[in-house]
Protein backbone atom coordinates (compact mmCIF):
# COMPACT_ATOMS: atom_id res chain seq x y z
CA UNK A 1 0.00 0.00 0.00
CA UNK A 2 2.83 2.40 0.84
CA UNK A 3 4.43 1.72 -2.54
CA UNK A 4 1.18 2.43 -4.37
CA UNK A 5 0.76 5.65 -2.42
CA UNK A 6 4.28 6.75 -3.38
CA UNK A 7 3.60 5.96 -7.04
CA UNK A 8 0.34 7.91 -6.94
CA UNK A 9 2.05 10.86 -5.26
CA UNK A 10 4.85 10.82 -7.80
CA UNK A 11 2.35 10.82 -10.68
CA UNK A 12 0.40 13.68 -9.11
CA UNK A 13 3.57 15.74 -8.73
CA UNK A 14 4.60 15.09 -12.33
CA UNK A 15 1.15 16.02 -13.64
CA UNK A 16 1.24 19.24 -11.64
CA UNK A 17 4.77 20.05 -12.79
CA UNK A 18 3.90 19.35 -16.42
CA UNK A 19 0.92 21.69 -16.23
CA UNK A 20 3.07 24.42 -14.65
CA UNK A 21 5.72 23.95 -17.32
CA UNK A 22 3.21 24.44 -20.12
CA UNK A 23 1.58 27.42 -18.40
CA UNK A 24 4.63 29.24 -17.05
CA UNK A 25 7.72 27.71 -18.62
CA UNK A 26 10.70 26.39 -16.73
CA UNK A 27 10.72 29.38 -14.39
CA UNK A 28 7.42 28.13 -12.99
CA UNK A 29 8.96 24.86 -11.81
CA UNK A 30 10.12 25.91 -8.38
CA UNK A 31 9.86 23.14 -5.81
CA UNK A 32 7.53 25.32 -3.76
CA UNK A 33 5.18 25.95 -6.71
CA UNK A 34 5.17 22.31 -7.79
CA UNK A 35 4.53 21.10 -4.24
CA UNK A 36 1.64 23.52 -3.82
CA UNK A 37 0.11 22.61 -7.17
CA UNK A 38 0.35 18.89 -6.37
CA UNK A 39 -1.03 19.32 -2.86
CA UNK A 40 2.04 17.82 -1.14
CA UNK A 41 4.68 19.11 1.25
CA UNK A 42 8.15 19.88 -0.19
CA UNK A 43 9.79 17.03 1.79
CA UNK A 44 7.62 14.54 -0.15
CA UNK A 45 8.96 15.94 -3.41
CA UNK A 46 12.56 15.63 -2.25
CA UNK A 47 12.02 12.07 -1.05
CA UNK A 48 10.74 11.05 -4.49
CA UNK A 49 13.06 13.05 -6.75
CA UNK A 50 16.13 13.80 -4.64
CA UNK A 51 16.58 17.43 -5.69
CA UNK A 52 15.34 19.93 -8.25
CA UNK A 53 17.53 18.47 -11.00
CA UNK A 54 15.96 15.09 -10.33
CA UNK A 55 12.52 16.63 -10.60
CA UNK A 56 13.39 18.38 -13.88
CA UNK A 57 14.74 15.12 -15.34
CA UNK A 58 11.55 13.34 -14.33
CA UNK A 59 9.34 16.06 -15.84
CA UNK A 60 11.33 15.92 -19.10
CA UNK A 61 10.95 12.14 -19.21
CA UNK A 62 7.24 12.49 -18.43
CA UNK A 63 6.79 14.86 -21.35
CA UNK A 64 8.90 12.69 -23.63
CA UNK A 65 7.02 9.47 -22.94
CA UNK A 66 4.79 10.07 -25.95
CA UNK A 67 7.77 10.83 -28.18
CA UNK A 68 9.77 7.81 -27.07
CA UNK A 69 6.72 5.57 -27.52
CA UNK A 70 6.31 6.93 -31.05
CA UNK A 71 9.99 6.28 -31.76
CA UNK A 72 9.66 2.70 -30.52
CA UNK A 73 6.56 2.15 -32.66
CA UNK A 74 7.99 3.78 -35.77
CA UNK A 75 9.19 0.42 -37.01
CA UNK A 76 11.35 -0.11 -40.06
CA UNK A 77 10.68 0.38 -43.74
CA UNK A 78 13.53 -1.97 -44.60
CA UNK A 79 15.56 1.03 -45.77
CA UNK A 80 17.80 2.31 -42.97
CA UNK A 81 18.32 5.68 -44.64
CA UNK A 82 14.57 6.22 -45.00
CA UNK A 83 14.16 5.21 -41.35
CA UNK A 84 16.73 7.85 -40.42
CA UNK A 85 14.71 10.47 -42.31
CA UNK A 86 11.50 9.38 -40.58
CA UNK A 87 13.20 9.53 -37.19
CA UNK A 88 14.44 13.07 -37.91
CA UNK A 89 10.95 14.23 -38.94
CA UNK A 90 9.36 12.69 -35.85
CA UNK A 91 11.93 14.42 -33.62
CA UNK A 92 11.26 17.82 -35.18
CA UNK A 93 7.49 17.38 -35.14
CA UNK A 94 7.52 16.49 -31.46
CA UNK A 95 9.78 19.40 -30.53
CA UNK A 96 7.48 21.92 -32.23
CA UNK A 97 4.35 20.32 -30.76
CA UNK A 98 5.73 20.20 -27.19
CA UNK A 99 8.24 23.07 -27.08
CA UNK A 100 8.25 23.46 -23.28
CA UNK A 101 9.30 19.86 -22.77
CA UNK A 102 11.80 20.02 -25.62
CA UNK A 103 13.55 23.09 -24.21
CA UNK A 104 13.59 21.47 -20.77
CA UNK A 105 15.25 18.41 -22.30
CA UNK A 106 17.76 20.07 -24.61
CA UNK A 107 17.89 23.77 -23.81
CA UNK A 108 20.08 23.57 -20.72
CA UNK A 109 22.86 21.18 -21.69
CA UNK A 110 25.59 20.68 -19.11
CA UNK A 111 28.72 18.51 -19.43
CA UNK A 112 28.37 15.14 -17.75
CA UNK A 113 24.62 15.42 -17.18
CA UNK A 114 22.21 13.71 -19.57
CA UNK A 115 18.73 12.72 -18.53
CA UNK A 116 17.63 9.08 -18.89
CA UNK A 117 15.01 10.13 -21.46
CA UNK A 118 17.65 11.88 -23.57
CA UNK A 119 19.92 8.85 -23.27
CA UNK A 120 17.19 6.57 -24.57
CA UNK A 121 16.46 8.90 -27.50
CA UNK A 122 20.17 9.03 -28.39
CA UNK A 123 20.41 5.24 -28.15
CA UNK A 124 17.55 4.89 -30.62
CA UNK A 125 19.30 7.26 -33.02
CA UNK A 126 22.58 5.35 -32.82
CA UNK A 127 20.73 2.12 -33.49
CA UNK A 128 19.34 3.49 -36.75
CA UNK A 129 22.69 4.99 -37.76
CA UNK A 130 24.37 1.64 -37.04
CA UNK A 131 21.94 -0.01 -39.45
CA UNK A 132 22.89 2.57 -42.08
CA UNK A 133 26.55 1.68 -41.49
CA UNK A 134 25.85 -2.05 -41.77
CA UNK A 135 24.26 -1.38 -45.16
CA UNK A 136 27.51 0.26 -46.29
CA UNK A 137 25.90 3.70 -46.64
CA UNK A 138 27.98 5.78 -44.19
CA UNK A 139 31.02 7.78 -45.20
CA UNK A 140 31.86 8.77 -41.58
CA UNK A 141 31.88 6.80 -38.32
CA UNK A 142 28.62 5.91 -36.57
CA UNK A 143 29.55 8.17 -33.66
CA UNK A 144 30.25 11.18 -35.86
CA UNK A 145 27.14 10.60 -37.97
CA UNK A 146 24.91 10.30 -34.90
CA UNK A 147 26.38 13.46 -33.39
CA UNK A 148 25.86 15.41 -36.63
CA UNK A 149 22.26 14.26 -36.97
CA UNK A 150 21.47 14.95 -33.31
CA UNK A 151 23.20 18.34 -33.13
CA UNK A 152 21.69 19.62 -36.37
CA UNK A 153 18.20 18.32 -35.64
CA UNK A 154 18.29 19.83 -32.17
CA UNK A 155 19.50 23.15 -33.60
CA UNK A 156 16.65 23.18 -36.10
CA UNK A 157 14.03 22.60 -33.41
CA UNK A 158 15.44 25.17 -30.98
CA UNK A 159 15.76 27.72 -33.80
CA UNK A 160 12.17 27.19 -34.88
CA UNK A 161 10.91 27.35 -31.29
CA UNK A 162 12.70 30.69 -30.84
CA UNK A 163 11.18 32.06 -34.08
CA UNK A 164 7.62 33.44 -34.13
CA UNK A 165 5.46 30.82 -35.81
CA UNK A 166 4.46 33.13 -38.66
CA UNK A 167 8.13 33.77 -39.46
CA UNK A 168 9.36 30.16 -39.46
CA UNK A 169 10.95 28.74 -42.59
CA UNK A 170 8.82 25.71 -43.50
CA UNK A 171 11.69 24.22 -45.50
CA UNK A 172 14.34 24.61 -42.80
CA UNK A 173 14.04 21.12 -41.36
CA UNK A 174 14.02 19.26 -44.69
CA UNK A 175 16.92 21.36 -46.02
CA UNK A 176 19.01 20.77 -42.90
CA UNK A 177 18.16 17.05 -42.92
CA UNK A 178 19.21 16.52 -46.52
CA UNK A 179 22.35 18.61 -46.06
CA UNK A 180 23.43 16.40 -43.14
CA UNK A 181 22.56 13.21 -45.03
CA UNK A 182 24.59 14.35 -48.04
CA UNK A 183 27.57 14.77 -45.71
CA UNK A 184 27.34 11.43 -43.93
CA UNK A 185 26.01 9.10 -46.66
CA UNK A 186 27.62 7.48 -49.65
CA UNK A 187 26.01 8.03 -53.00
CA UNK A 188 24.93 4.44 -53.57
CA UNK A 189 22.50 2.08 -51.93
CA UNK A 190 24.92 -0.83 -52.32
CA UNK A 191 27.83 -1.37 -49.94
CA UNK A 192 30.67 0.55 -51.51
CA UNK A 193 33.30 -2.12 -50.79
CA UNK A 194 36.03 -0.20 -52.63
CA UNK A 195 36.43 2.78 -50.37
CA UNK A 196 38.54 2.26 -47.26
CA UNK A 197 36.60 4.57 -44.88
CA UNK A 198 33.28 3.03 -45.92
CA UNK A 199 34.62 -0.47 -45.47
CA UNK A 200 36.03 0.46 -42.06
CA UNK A 201 32.65 1.90 -41.01
CA UNK A 202 30.74 -1.20 -42.11
CA UNK A 203 33.20 -3.49 -40.30
CA UNK A 204 33.08 -1.33 -37.16
CA UNK A 205 29.28 -1.56 -37.11
CA UNK A 206 29.41 -5.35 -36.81
CA UNK A 207 32.41 -5.60 -34.55
CA UNK A 208 30.48 -6.34 -31.35
CA UNK A 209 29.52 -9.72 -32.75
CA UNK A 210 33.12 -10.76 -33.41
CA UNK A 211 33.30 -13.33 -30.61
CA UNK A 212 36.57 -14.73 -31.98
CA UNK A 213 38.31 -11.60 -30.65
CA UNK A 214 38.83 -10.82 -26.98
CA UNK A 215 37.24 -7.70 -25.49
CA UNK A 216 40.62 -5.94 -25.47
CA UNK A 217 41.21 -6.85 -29.11
CA UNK A 218 37.77 -5.56 -30.10
CA UNK A 219 38.40 -2.26 -28.29
CA UNK A 220 41.74 -1.82 -30.06
CA UNK A 221 40.37 -2.75 -33.47
CA UNK A 222 37.39 -0.43 -32.93
CA UNK A 223 39.79 2.46 -32.25
CA UNK A 224 41.71 1.75 -35.47
CA UNK A 225 38.54 1.43 -37.53
CA UNK A 226 37.14 4.70 -36.15
CA UNK A 227 40.36 6.46 -37.13
CA UNK A 228 40.15 5.03 -40.65
CA UNK A 229 36.46 5.93 -40.87
CA UNK A 230 37.07 9.59 -40.01
CA UNK A 231 40.29 9.96 -41.97
Amino acid sequence: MATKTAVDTRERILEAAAALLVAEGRDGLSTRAVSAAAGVQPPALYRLFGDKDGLLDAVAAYGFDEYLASKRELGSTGDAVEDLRRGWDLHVEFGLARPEFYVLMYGDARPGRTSPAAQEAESMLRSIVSRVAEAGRLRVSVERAARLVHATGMGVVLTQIATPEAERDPELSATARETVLSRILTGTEKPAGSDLPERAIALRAGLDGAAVLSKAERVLLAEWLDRLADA
Side-chain angles (χ1 to χ4, degrees), residues 84-86 88-89 152 156 172-182:
L84 187 56
R85 283 191 175 94
R86 293 167 71 219
W88 173 295
D89 291 344
T152 309
V156 166
L172 180 64
S173 177
T175 300
R177 182 192 66 211
E178 295 307 311
T179 299
V180 171
L181 293 184
S182 70

Short mmCIF file of all heavy atoms in Angstrom, two decimals, residues 84-86 88-89 152 156 172-182:
data_model
loop_
_atom_site.label_atom_id
_atom_site.label_comp_id
_atom_site.label_asym_id
_atom_site.label_seq_id
_atom_site.Cartn_x
_atom_site.Cartn_y
_atom_site.Cartn_z
N LEU A 84 16.04 6.72 -41.03
CA LEU A 84 16.73 7.85 -40.42
C LEU A 84 15.98 9.14 -40.72
O LEU A 84 15.81 10.00 -39.84
CB LEU A 84 18.16 7.92 -40.95
CG LEU A 84 19.11 8.94 -40.30
CD1 LEU A 84 19.20 8.73 -38.79
CD2 LEU A 84 20.49 8.84 -40.93
N ARG A 85 15.51 9.29 -41.95
CA ARG A 85 14.71 10.47 -42.31
C ARG A 85 13.43 10.54 -41.46
O ARG A 85 13.06 11.60 -40.96
CB ARG A 85 14.32 10.43 -43.79
CG ARG A 85 15.43 10.81 -44.76
CD ARG A 85 14.86 10.99 -46.16
NE ARG A 85 15.89 11.48 -47.06
CZ ARG A 85 16.63 10.69 -47.83
NH1 ARG A 85 16.44 9.37 -47.79
NH2 ARG A 85 17.55 11.21 -48.63
N ARG A 86 12.75 9.42 -41.34
CA ARG A 86 11.50 9.38 -40.58
C ARG A 86 11.75 9.72 -39.10
O ARG A 86 10.96 10.42 -38.47
CB ARG A 86 10.85 8.00 -40.70
CG ARG A 86 10.37 7.68 -42.10
CD ARG A 86 10.05 6.20 -42.23
NE ARG A 86 8.85 5.84 -41.50
CZ ARG A 86 8.71 4.71 -40.81
NH1 ARG A 86 9.69 3.83 -40.73
NH2 ARG A 86 7.56 4.45 -40.20
N TRP A 88 14.17 11.62 -37.95
CA TRP A 88 14.44 13.07 -37.91
C TRP A 88 13.11 13.83 -37.89
O TRP A 88 12.89 14.72 -37.06
CB TRP A 88 15.27 13.47 -39.12
CG TRP A 88 15.47 14.95 -39.31
CD1 TRP A 88 14.51 15.89 -39.58
CD2 TRP A 88 16.71 15.66 -39.22
NE1 TRP A 88 15.07 17.14 -39.70
CE2 TRP A 88 16.42 17.03 -39.48
CE3 TRP A 88 18.03 15.28 -38.98
CZ2 TRP A 88 17.41 18.01 -39.49
CZ3 TRP A 88 19.01 16.27 -38.99
CH2 TRP A 88 18.70 17.61 -39.23
N ASP A 89 12.22 13.50 -38.83
CA ASP A 89 10.95 14.23 -38.94
C ASP A 89 10.12 14.09 -37.67
O ASP A 89 9.50 15.06 -37.22
CB ASP A 89 10.17 13.72 -40.15
CG ASP A 89 10.83 14.09 -41.48
OD1 ASP A 89 11.70 14.99 -41.48
OD2 ASP A 89 10.49 13.47 -42.50
N THR A 152 22.37 18.80 -35.37
CA THR A 152 21.69 19.62 -36.37
C THR A 152 20.18 19.59 -36.17
O THR A 152 19.51 20.63 -36.24
CB THR A 152 22.04 19.14 -37.79
OG1 THR A 152 23.45 19.04 -37.94
CG2 THR A 152 21.50 20.10 -38.84
N VAL A 156 17.83 22.80 -35.31
CA VAL A 156 16.65 23.18 -36.10
C VAL A 156 15.45 23.41 -35.20
O VAL A 156 14.73 24.42 -35.31
CB VAL A 156 16.33 22.08 -37.14
CG1 VAL A 156 14.93 22.28 -37.73
CG2 VAL A 156 17.36 22.09 -38.26
N LEU A 172 13.09 24.67 -43.55
CA LEU A 172 14.34 24.61 -42.80
C LEU A 172 14.71 23.19 -42.40
O LEU A 172 15.84 22.74 -42.59
CB LEU A 172 14.25 25.49 -41.56
CG LEU A 172 15.50 25.53 -40.67
CD1 LEU A 172 16.67 26.15 -41.41
CD2 LEU A 172 15.22 26.31 -39.38
N SER A 173 13.75 22.46 -41.85
CA SER A 173 14.04 21.12 -41.36
C SER A 173 14.47 20.19 -42.50
O SER A 173 15.48 19.49 -42.39
CB SER A 173 12.82 20.54 -40.64
OG SER A 173 13.08 19.21 -40.23
N ALA A 174 13.70 20.16 -43.57
CA ALA A 174 14.02 19.26 -44.69
C ALA A 174 15.36 19.62 -45.31
O ALA A 174 16.15 18.74 -45.68
CB ALA A 174 12.91 19.31 -45.74
N THR A 175 15.65 20.93 -45.44
CA THR A 175 16.92 21.36 -46.02
C THR A 175 18.09 20.94 -45.14
O THR A 175 19.10 20.41 -45.63
CB THR A 175 16.92 22.89 -46.21
OG1 THR A 175 15.85 23.26 -47.08
CG2 THR A 175 18.24 23.35 -46.80
N ALA A 176 17.95 21.16 -43.83
CA ALA A 176 19.01 20.77 -42.90
C ALA A 176 19.20 19.26 -42.91
O ALA A 176 20.33 18.75 -42.91
CB ALA A 176 18.68 21.26 -41.49
N ARG A 177 18.10 18.52 -42.92
CA ARG A 177 18.16 17.05 -42.92
C ARG A 177 18.92 16.53 -44.13
O ARG A 177 19.83 15.71 -44.01
CB ARG A 177 16.74 16.49 -42.92
CG ARG A 177 16.64 14.97 -42.88
CD ARG A 177 15.24 14.51 -43.18
NE ARG A 177 14.88 14.84 -44.55
CZ ARG A 177 13.64 15.13 -44.96
NH1 ARG A 177 12.63 15.15 -44.11
NH2 ARG A 177 13.41 15.42 -46.23
N GLU A 178 18.56 17.02 -45.30
CA GLU A 178 19.21 16.52 -46.52
C GLU A 178 20.65 16.97 -46.62
O GLU A 178 21.50 16.27 -47.18
CB GLU A 178 18.41 16.95 -47.75
CG GLU A 178 17.01 16.34 -47.82
CD GLU A 178 17.03 14.82 -47.69
OE1 GLU A 178 17.82 14.15 -48.39
OE2 GLU A 178 16.26 14.30 -46.85
N THR A 179 20.96 18.15 -46.07
CA THR A 179 22.35 18.61 -46.06
C THR A 179 23.21 17.69 -45.19
O THR A 179 24.32 17.29 -45.58
CB THR A 179 22.43 20.06 -45.51
OG1 THR A 179 21.68 20.92 -46.37
CG2 THR A 179 23.88 20.53 -45.45
N VAL A 180 22.70 17.32 -44.02
CA VAL A 180 23.43 16.40 -43.14
C VAL A 180 23.58 15.03 -43.81
O VAL A 180 24.65 14.43 -43.80
CB VAL A 180 22.73 16.27 -41.78
CG1 VAL A 180 23.35 15.14 -40.96
CG2 VAL A 180 22.81 17.57 -41.02
N LEU A 181 22.50 14.54 -44.40
CA LEU A 181 22.56 13.21 -45.03
C LEU A 181 23.56 13.21 -46.19
O LEU A 181 24.28 12.22 -46.39
CB LEU A 181 21.18 12.79 -45.53
CG LEU A 181 20.13 12.51 -44.45
CD1 LEU A 181 18.83 12.00 -45.08
CD2 LEU A 181 20.64 11.50 -43.43
N SER A 182 23.64 14.30 -46.93
CA SER A 182 24.59 14.35 -48.04
C SER A 182 26.03 14.31 -47.53
O SER A 182 26.93 13.86 -48.24
CB SER A 182 24.36 15.61 -48.88
OG SER A 182 24.76 16.78 -48.17
#
